[in-house]
Amino acid sequence: MDARRLKRLTKLVQVQRQIQALHETRHANHLASSVAAEKEAHELIEGFDSGALSSTLFPDLYHNRISSAFARRDQERDLAAGEVKHVVSATLRADKIDQERQQAARVLEEKSEERLRLERAAHTGKHPK
């Protein structure tokens, strides 16, 4: 029973670490998207401020795209903050399960050492030197 529990806990730790990595990746992607949206907004602002022909003909379009880029930036930051919470909870779960796995491994090792000691004692008891 203990060996099966140890094996199940080991697999569960692996799955939890994969979930943790997934949330870390999603967090990084949201941050990258946030930075890209902010960069786009600043490029649009520079284009608008430069007085290019398109910015003088379509100022509302520039303002809408700038507002949209900043809104995307804020939304991606919010999503990244949400993923941080998921990363923290996945990390805590994985660490707790890993501690349980280590405890199960210690118990299994102690039981096997005890069994070995008993076998040696029984063996030496049957065949005195």
Side-chain angles (χ1 to χ4, degrees), residues 69-87:
F70 280 129
R72 264 195 337 258
R73 177 202 62 188
D74 295 341
Q75 180 183 14
E76 291 294 334
R77 284 183 181 171
D78 291 343
L79 291 171
E83 284 301 324
V84 166
K85 294 175 186 175
H86 292 301
V87 168

Side-chain angles (χ1 to χ4, degrees), residues 41 44 62-72:
L44 288 168
Y62 267 83
H63 289 294
N64 288 340
R65 287 188 62 200
I66 291 168
S67 297
S68 174
F70 280 129
R72 264 195 337 258

